[in-house]
Amino acid sequence: MRPPTIRDVAARAGVSKSLVSLVLRGSESVRPEKRRAVLAAIEELGYRPNAAARSLSERRTRTVGVLLNDLRNPWFVELLDGLNARLHDSGLHVLLADGRLNRRLGQDLTRTFTELRVDGVVAVGTLQDPAALRTAADRVPTVVAGTREPELPGVDVIAGDDERGARLATEHLIGLGHRRIAHIAGRGAVGELRRRGFEAAMREHGLADTAVVEQGDLTEEGGYRATVRLLSRRQRPTAVFAVNDMTCVGALSAAEESGLRVPGDLSLAGYDNTYLSRLRHLWLTTVDNASHDVGRRAAQRLLDRIEDPGRPRTVDLTVPVLEVRGTTAAPSGGG
Amino acid sequence: MRPPTIRDVAARAGVSKSLVSLVLRGSESVRPEKRRAVLAAIEELGYRPNAAARSLSERRTRTVGVLLNDLRNPWFVELLDGLNARLHDSGLHVLLADGRLNRRLGQDLTRTFTELRVDGVVAVGTLQDPAALRTAADRVPTVVAGTREPELPGVDVIAGDDERGARLATEHLIGLGHRRIAHIAGRGAVGELRRRGFEAAMREHGLADTAVVEQGDLTEEGGYRATVRLLSRRQRPTAVFAVNDMTCVGALSAAEESGLRVPGDLSLAGYDNTYLSRLRHLWLTTVDNASHDVGRRAAQRLLDRIEDPGRPRTVDLTVPVLEVRGTTAAPSGGG
DNA sequence: GCCCGTCTTTGGACCGATCCAAAACCTCGC
DNA sequence: GCGAGGTTTTGGATCGGTCCAAAGACGGGC
């Protein structure tokens, strides 16, 4: 017993399938009594339009594919929220795919997306394999959100101004009186920009000599290890600016483990203003990228590009805001 | 310039579209040289099959809808991983939808799923509106994972044995010497079962009199507030078993705020073994539900049900394991 | 009563795949 | 050279919608 089709509805309502189609699409030119009859038939039969049939004939799916790098790192939640809100307003659905989850399975997600003929693709955050996006971008309107790479011809970018945000955090630490400040860097364009912001701020305040950079990998583990290395230096830093909140939590653990009090003995700042940083027990000073806004704007850019695929590439940066919480304070001793 | 279709490929390879279709579906009865010609044409044209057309004629989408309650609560990540792995082996894709994200928009996700004609639905965790699942379950094979409600005729359940896990945690605390033990409960079937396990364990050890239950809501905030209430009692508990890790993190903050050391002055145990609990800085004692396994089994049950929609409902419980970390210890003083 | 214009409804082509019965092609034995 | 029997290939129907040109209904003016 198959689900009812538009023809079943038409038969029940005593009209043609074309008229049912008109009602479904909300046409003005259907007489009220016919409309009522059709709606009643739909209700009685429990009819649901078949999305596959519809997108086959409409030549669009009303679906946008969102490519994430890792569901475990929660920074994207806000972004997704904004993205979803705006896309929903335009009648588009969101299809989520986690690159990390699927890569292990040898699956090419951009391929899946092109087979599904999604109307657009949003790549969220630093991807493992940015080049893979190129093939997708050739076929379907594509937008990158929350990071600035890859830079591809027809691909818009919407992201926080990472360099500026990194300056904000660094200057906050300098303003508190810190001189020996370390940065735990991360991979990818985002990591690069945040490091650059850190270095620029330090340089401008004549602190280039005391600036230290350790490499992390955007994970808690990486943050922990980098901090252990930092704290074993002869001149240990009095403040650490971490590339993201996850890394900062790792730093927090390392500090605690070596008996340092935060922020008394060591100030820590993170980035992303994830809910992690808002957990009372962590309460990290961090930088907010207005991710919800990034998401909304990404949606808008994608809609624009769907409208006009040929439009020139845009780069859209949101202004980050410092979120001062419990992990930063003036240095205690001889600084 | 539209993407190439199966007919374009056929023309290029000098065969009929039916033959191309055979090659695409990996038929044995195609002569090697024709197969090569077709594959070459596919490659040259960059042909990708149209999923909508395929599922329209095959009458299945090879897609499974996964309904989540809240992307912000990370306990489901492992589960999803297991689910995805098993489904992918059977050639099925996963479509993620976050109920919380979408409900705000007044969108009925089960409706979206039925319009897409997904081959199956997996509801993960306690849903906001469990009744909504009923309509989906009537139309499409459905499975509930990670919780035990709702109980519906044709809907299989795969979950951790919450009552047993709660006993494990409670008995661990009792074994350490605690007598005044509190529980912060949560809503839904999961909350109910964990509370029951806690109460049963307390009763069996003759501690029913000193057992206290405060209501939480599965969030950090709820855990914090419940703990503040607990700690303001005349006889404050020496240990708290929280319904999940998020709640436990809230409890941790409340304890710290009132100057109690964990685990010295107050022991805390959570539930779910999320990555939160594994953060070095939190390092919560918690209960592991073998979520990866729950996910894999849920996938298997769904595949079984797709095969035979009429089969009787099954309930599948995994055995939880206690994960002892840094937030539990023997009580300090007069207990 | 007829013609014309507007509003509403309809039948049939189409989207791009799968599926199946029938056609075409081989090979072999006589 | 022909027919049987097996393998390989093909044309056309089908899935369930949208779209569009044309048909039908209706009202008003002459």
Side-chain angles (χ1 to χ4, degrees):
Chain A
M1 204 193 59
R2 301 213 209 127
T5 75
I6 198 173
R7 282 159 231 266
D8 300 324
V9 174
R12 175 133 195 159
V15 299
S16 73
K17 64 176 177 38
S18 301
L19 190 83
V20 177
S21 176
L22 286 173
V23 171
L24 284 176
R25 282 171 295 137
S27 160
E28 294 291 312
S29 64
V30 174
R31 265 200 302 210
E33 66 263 33
K34 296 255 178 185
R35 179 191 311 280
R36 271 195 299 277
V38 168
L39 290 176
I42 286 175
E43 180 68 25
E44 287 158 25
L45 296 174
Y47 167 78
R48 293 283 176 279
N50 181 323
R54 172 174 289 174
S55 44
L56 180 58
S57 96
E58 269 191 321
R59 254 44 128 353
R60 64 212 201 95
T61 52
R62 300 173 188 277
T63 297
V64 167
V66 174
L67 203 53
L68 285 177
N69 53 353
D70 184 5
L71 274 178
R72 286 171 174 82
N73 186 343
W75 73 270
F76 62 85
V77 176
E78 282 295 310
L79 193 157
L80 218 57
D81 206 4
L83 189 75
N84 199 48
R86 180 70 189 82
L87 290 178
H88 181 259
D89 289 346
S90 301
L92 292 174
H93 296 284
V94 163
L95 193 66
L96 269 189
D98 176 11
R100 205 185 107 139
L101 218 62
N102 290 277
R103 192 180 44 265
R104 180 141 49 82
L105 307 173
Q107 200 178 353
D108 178 359
L109 286 173
T110 62
R111 184 183 180 116
T112 304
F113 282 158
T114 54
E115 295 198 355
L116 289 171
R117 302 285 197 274
V118 292
D119 295 341
V121 168
V122 182
V124 173
T126 305
L127 299 178
Q128 206 69 17
D129 178 14
L133 206 62
R134 164 161 259 145
T135 43
D138 287 346
R139 298 161 182 270
V140 61
T142 300
V143 155
V144 167
T147 178
R148 283 159 77 176
E149 91 189 333
E151 294 188 11
L152 292 170
V155 178
D156 303 294
V157 166
I158 305 89
D161 188 338
D162 290 302
E163 192 164 350
R164 187 159 170 183
R167 287 178 111 97
L168 276 180
T170 311
E171 280 165 359
H172 165 63
L173 293 170
I174 296 172
L176 286 170
H178 292 276
R179 292 298 169 264
R180 284 199 310 281
I181 305 177
H183 174 54
I184 304 177
R187 308 194 179 295
V190 169
E192 177 69 19
L193 287 164
R194 292 183 187 172
R195 183 173 59 68
R196 214 182 289 164
F198 164 75
E199 287 171 345
M202 291 297 276
R203 206 177 319 115
E204 283 162 24
H205 288 80
L207 297 173
D209 293 344
T210 54
V212 182
V213 175
E214 272 286 351
Q215 192 64 31
D217 58 1
L218 300 168
T219 69
E220 191 227 357
E221 178 68 19
Y224 173 81
R225 284 210 289 256
T227 308
V228 167
R229 290 196 297 273
L230 282 172
L231 296 183
S232 67
R233 286 169 172 261
R234 296 176 310 280
Q235 292 262 342
R236 68 166 184 76
T238 65
V240 174
F241 164 48
V243 67
N244 68 355
D245 288 345
M246 285 289 253
T247 301
C248 194
V249 174
L252 193 55
S253 307
E256 198 180 51
E257 216 168 72
S258 43
L260 297 175
R261 320 204 83 206
V262 174
D265 303 321
L266 184 70
S267 281
L268 296 176
Y271 208 116
D272 287 339
N273 194 18
T274 58
Y275 74 79
L276 267 186
S277 69
R278 287 193 296 267
L279 291 179
R280 246 176 279 254
H281 188 66
L282 301 175
W283 210 238
L284 311 178
T285 292
T286 187
V287 178
D288 187 318
N289 252 333
S291 291
H292 196 275
D293 194 40
V294 171
R296 265 203 318 268
R297 292 210 221 175
Q300 189 54 54
R301 289 288 164 272
L302 186 65
L303 292 167
D304 295 347
R305 183 158 295 281
I306 289 172
E307 185 109 344
D308 171 17
R311 71 200 291 274
R313 167 173 189 267
T314 65
V315 174
D316 221 343
L317 298 186
T318 59
V319 178
V321 176
L322 187 71
E323 206 46 71
V324 179
R325 298 211 178 94
T327 53
T328 49
S332 53
Chain B
M1 203 195 57
R2 300 215 212 128
T5 74
I6 199 172
R7 282 160 232 268
D8 300 324
V9 174
R12 175 133 195 159
V15 300
S16 72
K17 63 176 177 37
S18 302
L19 190 82
V20 177
S21 176
L22 286 173
V23 170
L24 284 174
R25 284 171 294 137
S27 161
E28 294 290 311
S29 64
V30 173
R31 266 199 304 211
E33 66 263 33
K34 296 254 178 185
R35 178 190 312 278
R36 271 194 300 275
V38 169
L39 291 176
I42 287 176
E43 180 66 26
E44 287 158 25
L45 296 174
Y47 167 78
R48 294 280 176 278
N50 180 322
R54 172 174 288 175
S55 45
L56 181 57
S57 95
E58 270 193 319
R59 294 294 194 31
R60 64 213 202 92
T61 52
R62 297 171 189 277
T63 296
V64 167
V66 173
L67 203 54
L68 283 177
N69 53 350
D70 185 4
L71 274 178
R72 285 173 175 81
N73 187 343
W75 71 270
F76 63 84
V77 177
E78 281 293 311
L79 193 157
L80 218 57
D81 206 2
L83 190 74
N84 200 45
R86 180 69 191 84
L87 290 177
H88 180 260
D89 289 346
S90 302
L92 293 172
H93 296 284
V94 163
L95 193 68
L96 269 189
D98 177 10
R100 206 185 105 144
L101 217 65
N102 290 279
R103 192 179 44 264
R104 179 143 46 85
L105 308 171
Q107 198 179 354
D108 178 357
L109 285 173
T110 63
R111 185 182 178 115
T112 305
F113 281 158
T114 56
E115 294 198 355
L116 289 171
R117 302 286 196 274
V118 293
D119 295 341
V121 168
V122 181
V124 173
T126 305
L127 299 177
Q128 206 69 16
D129 178 15
L133 206 61
R134 163 161 258 144
T135 43
D138 287 346
R139 298 162 181 270
V140 61
T142 300
V143 155
V144 167
T147 176
R148 282 159 78 175
E149 88 189 339
E151 292 188 12
L152 293 170
V155 177
D156 302 294
V157 166
I158 305 87
D161 187 338
D162 289 303
E163 192 165 348
R164 188 158 167 182
R167 287 177 110 99
L168 276 180
T170 310
E171 280 165 359
H172 164 62
L173 293 170
I174 295 173
L176 285 170
H178 292 277
R179 293 297 169 264
R180 286 199 309 281
I181 305 177
H183 174 54
I184 304 177
R187 309 195 177 292
V190 169
E192 177 69 20
L193 287 165
R194 292 183 187 173
R195 182 173 59 66
R196 213 182 290 164
F198 164 76
E199 286 171 346
M202 291 298 275
R203 208 176 319 111
E204 282 163 24
H205 288 79
L207 298 173
D209 294 346
T210 54
V212 182
V213 176
E214 272 286 351
Q215 193 62 33
D217 59 0
L218 300 169
T219 69
E220 192 225 355
E221 179 68 20
Y224 173 83
R225 285 210 289 256
T227 308
V228 166
R229 290 196 298 274
L230 283 172
L231 296 182
S232 67
R233 285 167 173 260
R234 296 176 312 284
Q235 291 262 341
R236 70 163 183 78
T238 64
V240 174
F241 165 49
V243 67
N244 68 355
D245 288 345
M246 287 288 254
T247 300
C248 194
V249 175
L252 193 55
S253 308
E256 196 179 52
E257 217 169 72
S258 42
L260 296 176
R261 320 206 81 207
V262 174
D265 303 321
L266 185 69
S267 282
L268 296 176
Y271 208 116
D272 287 340
N273 193 18
T274 58
Y275 75 78
L276 269 184
S277 69
R278 287 193 296 268
L279 291 178
R280 247 176 279 253
H281 188 67
L282 301 175
W283 209 238
L284 310 178
T285 291
T286 187
V287 179
D288 187 315
N289 253 334
S291 292
H292 197 275
D293 194 40
V294 171
R296 264 204 317 269
R297 292 209 221 177
Q300 188 55 54
R301 288 287 164 274
L302 186 65
L303 293 168
D304 294 347
R305 183 158 295 284
I306 289 173
E307 184 107 345
D308 172 18
R311 70 200 292 274
R313 167 174 191 267
T314 64
V315 175
D316 222 344
L317 298 185
T318 60
V319 177
V321 176
L322 187 71
E323 210 39 75
V324 179
R325 298 210 178 95
T327 53
T328 50
S332 52

